[in-house]
């Protein structure tokens, strides 16, 4: 029987409440409380990239999902257990575009949107209250007191004629339908003919007092309105939310999630005051929390096993996820891994970069025999990864007052001691640890056998996901699709080969870069800028004299950015093509704090780049602008050519020439 792909991308917005609970993986109570802060009387924006779990997080705390986790308790007992009452609403559920005015009557449409928003929020609240009343047989619920309290803020006094909260819920539905009809008719008549039953802020906030009158046990239970995907609201519509946040006054608080660029304004309705960070609201970057979460690897394993449990029986998935994927063995200096990949370690193709550099040198005058002797000394009878490291160490250790032949002998002796285990400390050992991943990538790229640099292993995928569960699903989903096409059941029959995994991460990178962003405008400019940045990093990684840092991150002064460059960079960050380091990087000369950004590791396979950050390349003002400002893009190729020459010809220029040409 064919199984569905257990890693297929399914949005949490499309889950049932049962699935929200069954697929939930605990990050830790302390972490979740720090994100939601349910008892805090300050509202909160929870921002993060697509797939960071914002929707799942909110829905898990909403009353319907909480209720399902306690089927044998009464509604009041559920709230006593939970400690708060949370109502969830997706921004798209309002079809907010309907409330965008085509005339000058913006304030009228804004007010109507606010009324409709409150009707939706309180409708969800009433669903919970009705369930609490229905399941708590011995509860003391005063519906009339509830309705009387609301009559003080609702203009439509017909609620005083009602006898139950169930009737009030029906009234909410009717009022929503009236607004729907008025909006539909306005498309034909050009007029908005509707009577609103209350002013903005007069329902979803005062309802807290009504609930306290309804049942005294709920007097101190916080009311949380959970609004998801705030980026789908226009600026005027966000002003409504800001006003509700500002005037909540202890009656209700909001937890609002959105993309990193989701907040369009902090002003309130009518051009009022701006809400202030730390006063009316707090902001939390969910991406940063997940990336720095120390137990994310454990979370990822549980997350994957939950997914597998949807399609596989428990005995089939009782193993560790790492056992499903063949890893790249680094033992014996990658000898086994390279042999398995079909790399011919005896090929002379790996000697060409240093041979060309020595042959083109303007600092060293060497005969052809001397060049061959240096290369032979550094490589003869040594593992291929050690040969490449010797070439790199030779480049970094050489200076004009050193005999190159003697230096080659010294490097070889140190390498032999390192291989034999006599010397596991010092410069050479550190250099191997520092550069081994880059050297392995160089060997794979220079080999004629491989089309792409390999990426494999569950731990690699976890690191590439950068704390984002969706990114992990993208990789695993592609791996499952490729395995199914090849008729390989890697869940039950054995680990997925490295070649299939490499294809999967390449597909995942292509999906994120080409399909996971908007088309046109800044998004396209951001992709071009990221392409240039990645090309620079790729040039650094595959050069003969690899820079000291791992080529994944760069730093630069914010002062160098034009307004256009700032906008492009912001777009790249908003779409999670790049990540920004929170602390920045102190400049070694001026001691100013530079900005530091790194490529999203999920994109690394697109250019054969590393997935881990170790230091950063320091950019010049010219190169920073050439990367991020579209007007200066033509200069990028010239600057890149200079750097390529510098990194691949360490013996070709005098020290003064190199300093003058250096862009870093």
């Amino acid at each position: 029987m064919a199984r569905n792909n257990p890693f297929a991308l399914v949005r949490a917005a499309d889950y049932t409440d049962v699935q929200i609970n069954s697929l939930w993986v605990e990050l830790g109570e302390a972490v979740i409380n720090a994100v939601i802060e349910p008892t805090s009387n300050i509202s909160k924006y929870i921002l993060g990239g697509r797939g960071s779990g914002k929707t799942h997080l909110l829905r898990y705390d909403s009353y319907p999902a909480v209720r399902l986790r306690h089927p044998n308790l009464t509604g009041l007992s559920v709230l006593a257990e939970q400690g708060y009452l949370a109502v969830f609403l997706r921004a798209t559920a309002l079809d907010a575009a309907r409330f965008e005015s085509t005339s000058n009557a913006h304030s009228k449409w804004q007010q109507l949107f606010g009324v409709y928003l409150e009707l939706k929020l309180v409708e969800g609240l009433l669903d919970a209250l009705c369930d609490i009343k229905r399941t708590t047989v011995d509860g003391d619920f005063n519906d009339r007191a509830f309705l009387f309290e609301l009559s003080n803020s609702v203009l439509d006094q017909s609620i005083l004629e009602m006898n139950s909260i169930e009737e009030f819920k029906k009234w909410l539905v009717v009022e929503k339908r009236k607004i729907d009809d008025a909006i539909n008719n306005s498309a034909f008549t050009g007029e908005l003919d509707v009577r609103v039953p209350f002013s903005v802020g007069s329902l979803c906030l005062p309802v807290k007092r009504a609930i306290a009158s309804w049942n005294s046990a709920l007097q101190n239970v916080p009311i949380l309105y959970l609004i998801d995907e705030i980026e789908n609201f226009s600026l005027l519509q966000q002003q409504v939310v800001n006003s509700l946040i500002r005037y909540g006054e202890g009656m209700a608080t909001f937890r609002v999630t959105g993309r990193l660029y989701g907040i369009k304004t902090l002003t309130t309705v009518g051009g009022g005051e701006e809400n202030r960070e730390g006063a009316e609201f707090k902001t939390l970057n969910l991406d940063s929390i997940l990336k720095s979460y120390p137990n994310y690897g454990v979370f990822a394993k549980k997350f994957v096993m939950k997914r597998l449990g949807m399609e596989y029986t428990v005995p089939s998935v009782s193993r560790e996820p790492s056992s499903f994927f063949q890893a790249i063995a680094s033992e014996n200096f990658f000898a086994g891994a390279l042999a398995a990949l079909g790399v011919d370690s005896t090929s002379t193709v790996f000697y060409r970069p240093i041979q060309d550099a020595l042959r083109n040198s303007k600092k060293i005058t060497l005969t052809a025999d001397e060049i061959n002797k240096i290369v032979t000394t550094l490589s003869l009878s040594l593992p291929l990864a050690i040969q490449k490291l010797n070439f790199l160490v030779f480049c970094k250790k050489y200076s004009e007052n050193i005999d190159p032949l003697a230096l080659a002998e010294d490097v070889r002796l140190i390498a032999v001691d390192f291989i034999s285990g006599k010397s596991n400390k010092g410069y050479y050992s550190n250099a191997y640890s520092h550069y081994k991943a880059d050297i392995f990538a160089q060997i794979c790229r220079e080999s004629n056998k491989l089309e792409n640099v390999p990426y494999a292993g569950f731990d690699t995928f976890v690191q590439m996901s950068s704390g984002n569960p969706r990114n992990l699903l993208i990789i695993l989903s592609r791996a499952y699709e490729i395995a199914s096409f090849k008729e390989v059941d890697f869940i039950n029959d054995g680990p997925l080969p490295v070649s299939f995994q490499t294809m999967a991460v390449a597909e995942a990178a292509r999906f994120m870069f080409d399909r996971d962003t908007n088309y046109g405008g800044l998004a396209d400019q951001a992709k071009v800028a990221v392409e240039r940045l990645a090309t620079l990093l790729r040039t650094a990684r595959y050069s003969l004299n690899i820079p000291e840092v791992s080529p994944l991150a760069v730093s630069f002064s914010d002062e160098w950015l034009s307004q256009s460059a700032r906008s492009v960079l912001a777009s790249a960050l908003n779409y999670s093509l790049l990540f920004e380091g929170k602390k920045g990087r102190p400049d070694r000369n001026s001691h100013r704090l530079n900005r530091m950004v790194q490529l999203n590791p999920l994109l690394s396979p697109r250019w054969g780049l590393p997935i881990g950050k170790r230091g950063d390349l320091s950019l010049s003002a010219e190169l920073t602008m050439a990367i991020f400002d579209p007007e200066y893009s033509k200069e990028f190729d010239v600057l890149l050519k200079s750097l390529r020459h510098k990194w691949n010809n360490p013996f070709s220029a005098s020290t003064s020439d190199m300093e003058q040409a250096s862009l870093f």
Side-chain angles (χ1 to χ4, degrees):
M1 173 178 159
R3 294 187 176 96
N4 295 322
N5 185 342
F7 308 114
L9 286 178
V10 180
R11 300 182 307 163
D14 298 328
Y15 290 162
T16 65
D17 289 323
V18 172
Q19 289 173 315
I20 286 292
N21 287 328
S22 63
L23 290 175
W24 176 260
V25 178
E26 189 63 63
L27 274 170
E29 186 175 346
V31 177
I32 299 303
N33 284 339
V35 174
I36 297 294
E37 290 190 278
T39 59
S40 173
N41 59 1
I42 299 180
S43 294
K44 196 173 204 177
Y45 287 108
I46 302 169
L47 306 180
R50 181 180 295 180
S52 55
K54 302 182 298 296
T55 301
H56 203 150
L57 186 64
L58 292 193
R59 288 193 61 189
Y60 185 78
D61 274 334
S62 66
Y63 182 82
V66 173
R67 187 74 184 86
L68 287 176
R69 297 199 292 274
H70 304 284
N72 298 322
L73 296 181
T74 66
L76 276 182
S77 298
V78 169
L79 287 191
E81 179 83 14
Q82 186 75 356
Y84 55 92
L85 174 55
V87 177
F88 174 83
L89 177 67
R90 286 189 69 208
T92 52
L94 275 74
D95 192 8
R98 297 184 304 149
F99 297 88
E100 287 296 297
S101 172
T102 57
S103 65
N104 294 323
H106 299 302
S107 61
K108 180 187 297 186
W109 283 92
Q110 184 184 51
Q111 183 182 7
L112 187 62
F113 168 80
V115 169
Y116 199 85
L117 171 63
E118 290 196 58
L119 288 170
K120 289 287 290 186
L121 290 172
V122 176
E123 182 183 14
L125 187 61
L126 261 291
D127 285 338
L129 296 182
C130 289
D131 178 81
I132 292 169
K133 178 182 174 181
R134 179 179 57 81
T135 59
T136 311
V137 179
D138 57 348
D140 182 16
F141 302 106
N142 191 335
D143 288 8
R144 291 290 299 171
F146 177 93
L147 295 166
F148 179 79
E149 182 64 43
L150 275 185
S151 70
N152 294 323
S153 56
V154 175
L155 299 175
D156 188 347
Q157 293 299 292
S158 66
I159 64 174
L160 289 174
E161 301 172 7
M162 303 175 190
N163 295 305
S164 68
I165 61 171
E166 288 81 6
E167 288 184 60
F168 181 66
K169 182 185 172 185
K170 292 179 181 178
W171 176 85
L172 292 172
V173 174
V174 170
E175 292 300 321
K176 278 173 43 196
R177 187 174 298 127
K178 288 178 182 178
I179 295 176
D180 290 333
D181 291 342
I183 291 174
N184 292 337
N185 290 333
S186 71
F188 298 97
T189 65
E191 296 181 359
L192 184 60
D193 184 16
V194 63
R195 176 183 174 274
V196 295
F198 56 87
S199 58
V200 175
S202 298
L203 180 62
C204 72
L205 302 180
V207 74
K208 176 65 170 67
R209 292 194 293 264
I211 292 174
S213 299
W214 183 58
N215 186 284
S216 59
L218 301 178
Q219 185 170 358
N220 296 318
V221 175
I223 303 298
L224 272 65
Y225 292 118
L226 314 174
I227 300 180
D228 191 31
E229 298 183 3
I230 191 66
E231 64 270 14
N232 290 307
F233 286 169
S234 68
L235 185 147
L236 290 177
Q237 292 164 356
Q238 288 192 10
Q239 285 180 345
V240 172
V241 177
N242 293 339
S243 296
L244 295 175
I245 288 174
R246 187 175 186 85
Y247 301 114
E249 297 176 345
M251 293 180 285
T253 58
F254 292 77
R255 302 296 180 266
V256 181
T257 63
R259 297 289 291 271
L260 297 172
Y261 57 87
I263 307 302
K264 300 178 176 74
T265 180
L266 295 176
T267 60
T268 53
V269 171
E273 295 184 72
E274 282 197 357
N275 287 345
R276 297 161 298 166
E277 174 88 32
E280 285 79 25
F281 72 94
K282 295 191 289 188
T283 302
L284 180 139
N285 188 313
L286 188 57
D287 290 345
S288 296
I289 287 182
L290 292 174
K291 280 188 286 188
S292 61
Y293 179 53
N295 294 321
Y296 176 71
V298 176
F299 166 82
K301 291 179 181 179
K302 294 179 180 178
F303 176 75
V304 169
M305 300 310 280
K306 283 264 189 177
R307 282 278 180 156
L308 285 174
M310 295 167 59
E311 294 293 333
Y312 288 81
T313 57
V314 174
S316 301
V317 296
S318 59
R319 310 197 313 269
E320 282 281 305
S322 57
S323 65
F324 304 144
F325 304 96
Q326 189 179 67
I328 297 173
S330 60
E331 295 81 8
N332 298 319
F333 312 106
F334 296 101
L338 293 174
L341 292 169
V343 174
D344 180 8
S345 297
T346 64
S347 173
T348 59
V349 69
F350 303 110
Y351 305 156
R352 290 176 188 168
I354 191 166
Q355 288 174 332
D356 291 343
L358 290 170
R359 191 177 299 116
N360 297 330
S361 173
K362 296 180 181 178
K363 294 166 59 179
I364 313 174
T365 303
L366 297 170
T367 65
D369 288 341
E370 289 173 326
I371 291 174
N372 288 336
K373 185 174 182 181
I374 289 173
V375 173
T376 301
T377 300
L378 294 172
S379 61
L380 184 63
S381 302
L382 297 176
L384 182 54
I386 294 298
Q387 296 177 32
K388 296 286 287 184
L389 180 61
N390 284 350
F391 300 157
L392 178 59
V393 170
F394 179 85
C395 292
K396 294 192 177 296
K397 288 289 187 180
Y398 179 76
S399 64
E400 294 182 18
N401 58 349
I402 293 180
D403 178 6
L405 294 172
L407 176 60
E409 292 285 355
D410 290 342
V411 172
R412 180 181 179 85
L413 289 175
I414 298 172
V416 171
D417 285 345
F418 175 71
I419 294 171
S420 65
K422 293 181 181 179
S423 175
N424 292 320
K425 296 182 180 180
Y427 176 82
Y428 195 90
S429 176
N430 290 336
Y432 180 76
S433 176
H434 198 83
Y435 294 108
K436 64 180 180 181
D438 299 325
I439 287 172
F440 177 75
Q442 282 194 357
I443 292 171
C444 293
R445 192 180 186 206
E446 292 170 7
S447 171
N448 294 326
K449 294 285 185 180
L450 301 177
E451 182 178 350
N452 297 306
V453 174
Y455 295 81
F458 182 73
D459 291 341
T460 296
F461 301 158
V462 171
Q463 188 174 358
M464 290 175 67
S465 71
S466 301
N468 187 303
R470 182 176 184 270
N471 288 348
L472 183 58
L473 281 181
I474 291 174
I475 298 171
L476 297 179
S477 179
R478 296 302 184 272
Y480 193 92
E481 290 171 358
I482 291 170
S484 297
F485 181 75
K486 302 286 187 180
E487 297 184 344
V488 173
D489 184 0
F490 67 96
I491 303 298
N492 288 309
D493 297 340
L496 190 67
V498 170
S499 59
F500 291 177
Q501 296 178 63
T502 300
M503 293 169 59
V505 295
E507 285 292 326
R510 185 178 300 113
F511 173 83
M512 181 178 188
F513 193 76
D514 293 336
R515 295 180 54 191
D516 220 18
T517 55
N518 290 344
Y519 290 101
L522 279 176
D524 282 344
Q525 292 179 4
K527 288 167 64 175
V528 172
V530 169
E531 185 91 44
R532 287 195 290 264
L533 176 60
T535 301
L536 167 69
L537 297 172
R538 180 178 59 192
T539 301
R541 190 182 205 198
Y542 295 101
S543 63
L544 173 62
N545 191 13
I546 308 171
E548 297 291 337
V549 299
S550 180
L552 191 67
V554 297
S555 61
F556 50 86
S557 172
D558 189 62
E559 298 174 358
W560 297 337
L561 295 174
S562 63
Q563 186 56 49
S564 177
R566 290 178 195 278
S567 298
V568 170
L569 174 59
S571 181
L573 293 169
N574 288 335
Y575 284 106
S576 299
L577 301 175
L578 302 177
F579 297 144
E580 181 155 24
K582 292 176 64 176
K583 296 182 179 179
R585 173 69 64 188
D587 184 86
R588 65 179 63 184
N589 296 318
S590 67
H591 302 293
R592 68 169 172 260
L593 190 64
N594 286 340
R595 295 182 70 173
M596 183 177 68
V597 299
Q598 75 163 73
L599 186 75
N600 186 331
L602 185 61
L603 296 175
S604 288
R606 185 178 178 89
W607 297 279
L609 293 172
I611 60 172
K613 177 174 69 69
R614 184 190 65 243
D616 55 90
L617 290 171
S618 179
L619 303 186
S620 68
E622 295 82 2
L623 192 53
T624 301
M625 289 293 287
I627 290 173
F628 294 110
D629 193 318
E631 293 185 10
Y632 291 84
S633 60
K634 293 181 180 179
E635 282 76 15
F636 177 74
D637 290 340
V638 176
L639 296 170
L640 182 66
K641 182 178 180 180
S642 175
L643 283 171
R644 183 182 292 113
H645 183 271
K646 171 189 172 182
W647 288 330
N648 287 290
N649 294 276
F651 321 115
S652 64
S654 67
T655 302
S656 59
D657 288 342
M658 286 183 65
E659 289 176 350
Q660 186 175 3
S662 176
L663 293 168
F664 292 95

